């Protein structure tokens, strides 16, 4: 990221977040119960949210790299979101799955849940920060010691 | 009584709350992602906010790599909260009504200053413990439902498709197990 950001950079991020959060509220993804109902096969609506969103963003990810060299506010080239595959994707995905299945909450939906008045969701937010902190400590240590940590902190 | 045509019956069974609120909500989630991408070239995910925000209070190398993006991720998250609040103050409060929105009966509604807010019935221990797993898992697994599920799948990324298949499968098994053990809500 450049130090001299375009003056519209932050306002645009805010507007994007506003639409994103409104959509999560409207779709009821900010309600853990609705996600848990999906996992119980009682209501398949969640599929429309995830794939509806993926199709809309997918069009932009497919079209923009062909018609433009870079984003107007950052100059960053338009690229797709590609992450390298390794077994962490499976291990982390499985751990996330346990959490999602237990609580019905994922990060974006949790922030939106706070917005619709769900103060109880602070428990989930606290849990997420604790989890992210634990893995960050563990992985920082694993990198610096270049060995697998044995402590279960 | 004339029976419903088969497709309608199926729809009612699989989608007891209709599909419009889900489809329109999903389109808006995608649109929010697109707005940010068109201006900045960033395919934004929501879970990196956790690590990037931790860099304000912890010097661990794992968090410090996100220092350059932590301010806009904070703004993005603030936007998500305010966007959901805007939804609560308009559609959820009944100020704006549309046949495309089905209110639903989960959780509890309450009012503060004329705004209809909503609170979950899901027990705090489930949220807390589930949250810890989400915090660990999304960071090790390189993404969550927005990073992998929306941006990654939208990018036709094989890594993300495998990631989504993994967490979706495990979440379904977990959700079914928890319900089978009689935990509700």
């Amino acid at each position: 990221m450049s130090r001299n950001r375009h003056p519209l950079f932050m306002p645009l991020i805010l507007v994007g977040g506003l639409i994103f959060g409104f959509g999560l509220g409207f779709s009821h993804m900010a309600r853990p119960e609705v996600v848990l109902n999906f996992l119980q096969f009682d209501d398949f609506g969640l599929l429309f949210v995830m794939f509806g969103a993926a199709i809309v963003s997918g069009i932009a990810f497919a079209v923009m790299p062909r018609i433009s060299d870079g984003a107007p506010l950052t100059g960053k080239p338009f690229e797709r979101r590609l992450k390298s595959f390794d077994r962490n994707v499976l291990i982390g995905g499985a751990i996330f799955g346990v959490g999602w299945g237990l609580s019905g909450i994922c990060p974006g939906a949790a922030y939106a849940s706070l917005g619709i008045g769900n103060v109880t969701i602070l428990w989930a937010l606290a849990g997420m920060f604790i989890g992210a902190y634990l893995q960050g400590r563990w992985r920082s240590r694993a990198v610096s010691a270049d060995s697998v940590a044995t402590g279960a902190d | 009584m004339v029976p419903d045509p088969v497709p309608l019956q199926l729809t009612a069974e699989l989608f007891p709350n209709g599909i419009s609120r889900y489809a329109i909500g999903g389109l808006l989630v995608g649109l929010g992602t697109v707005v940010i991408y068109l201006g900045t070239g960033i395919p934004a995910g929501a879970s990196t906010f956790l690590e990037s925000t931790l860099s304000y209070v912890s010097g661990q190398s794992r968090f410090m790599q996100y220092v350059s993006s932590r301010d806009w991720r904070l703004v993005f998250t603030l936007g998500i909260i305010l966007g959901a609040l805007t939804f609560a103050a308009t559609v959820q409060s009944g100020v704006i009504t549309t046949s495309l929105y089905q209110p639903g009966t989960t959780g509890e509604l309450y009012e503060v200053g004329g705004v209809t807010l909503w609170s979950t019935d899901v027990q705090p221990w489930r949220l807390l413990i589930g949250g810890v797993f989400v915090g660990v898992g999304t960071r090790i697994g390189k993404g969550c439902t927005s990073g992998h599920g929306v941006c990654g799948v939208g990018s036709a990324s094989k890594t993300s498709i495998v990631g989504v298949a993994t967490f979706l499968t495990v979440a379904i098994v977990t959700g079914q197990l928890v319900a089978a053990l009689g935990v509700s809500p």
Side-chain angles (χ1 to χ4, degrees):
Chain A
M1 274 302 114
S2 63
R3 304 216 187 294
N4 300 315
R5 281 210 187 102
H6 194 284
L8 289 176
F9 179 84
M10 285 300 186
L12 186 87
I13 297 277
L14 184 68
V15 169
L18 283 169
I19 301 170
F20 193 97
F22 191 96
L24 285 171
F26 196 93
S27 66
H28 279 212
M29 290 301 103
R31 301 187 175 194
E33 282 93 331
V34 175
V35 175
L36 294 174
N37 282 342
F38 164 75
L39 299 175
Q40 290 291 309
F41 303 139
D42 288 334
D43 182 350
F44 285 86
L46 184 146
L47 293 175
F48 271 84
V49 184
M50 198 188 284
F51 291 111
I55 288 166
V56 172
S57 60
I59 292 169
F61 293 147
V63 170
M64 291 315 289
R66 282 157 214 242
I67 62 171
S68 172
D69 291 334
L73 302 187
T74 57
K76 192 173 147 55
F78 284 114
E79 288 165 342
R80 296 187 299 154
R81 183 191 185 275
L82 302 175
K83 299 237 163 169
S84 60
F85 182 80
D86 53 40
R87 67 195 173 112
N88 275 345
V89 175
L90 298 176
I91 296 167
I95 297 171
F96 172 38
V98 170
W100 200 31
L102 185 62
S103 65
I105 272 297
C106 59
Y111 317 145
S113 201
L114 196 59
I116 61 169
N118 188 10
V119 183
T120 316
I121 207 67
L122 288 171
W123 288 103
L125 283 167
M128 280 187 231
F129 273 107
I130 292 168
Y133 181 72
L134 290 178
Q135 76 82 33
R137 264 191 69 155
W138 178 71
R139 291 180 92 183
S140 296
R141 190 178 300 170
V143 167
S144 59
D146 200 29
S147 64
V148 180
T150 47
D153 54 345
Chain B
M1 283 283 285
V2 181
D4 280 337
V6 174
L8 274 181
Q9 272 182 8
L10 259 182
T11 305
E13 261 175 48
L14 301 180
F15 304 99
N17 297 299
I19 57 173
S20 59
R21 82 176 185 205
Y22 296 116
I24 288 168
L27 295 180
L28 288 172
V29 169
L31 185 65
T33 307
V34 168
V35 164
I36 291 173
Y37 183 72
L38 289 186
T40 66
I42 299 169
S47 61
T48 311
F49 167 73
L50 301 168
E51 278 174 296
S52 67
T53 302
L54 283 165
S55 73
Y56 286 108
V57 294
S58 168
Q60 302 281 343
S61 60
R62 183 73 200 163
F63 307 134
M64 296 316 279
Q65 62 176 316
Y66 296 107
V67 163
S68 63
S69 70
R70 63 186 183 183
D71 55 351
W72 74 254
R73 290 186 192 279
L74 210 55
V75 172
F76 179 50
T77 301
L78 194 70
I80 295 175
I81 297 172
L82 291 177
L85 180 62
T86 307
F87 159 78
T90 54
V91 179
Q92 188 165 275
S93 295
V95 176
I96 296 174
T97 53
T98 164
S99 58
L100 297 171
Y101 177 73
Q102 284 242 3
T105 54
T106 53
E108 268 176 62
L109 294 168
Y110 65 102
E111 261 193 52
V112 174
V115 177
T116 304
L117 299 172
W118 180 90
S119 191
T120 186
D121 286 333
V122 174
Q123 302 170 61
W125 71 266
R126 291 182 75 171
L127 299 174
L128 180 68
I129 297 171
V132 173
F133 277 96
V134 168
V136 173
T138 61
R139 301 328 303 143
I140 291 178
K142 306 178 186 181
C144 62
T145 32
S146 58
H148 277 319
V150 177
C151 295
V153 169
S155 299
S157 151
K158 287 197 185 100
T159 299
S160 289
I161 291 167
V162 172
V164 171
T166 307
F167 66 64
L168 210 49
T169 309
V170 175
I172 288 169
V173 171
T174 307
Q176 304 262 358
L177 262 173
V178 171
L181 290 171
V183 179
S184 173

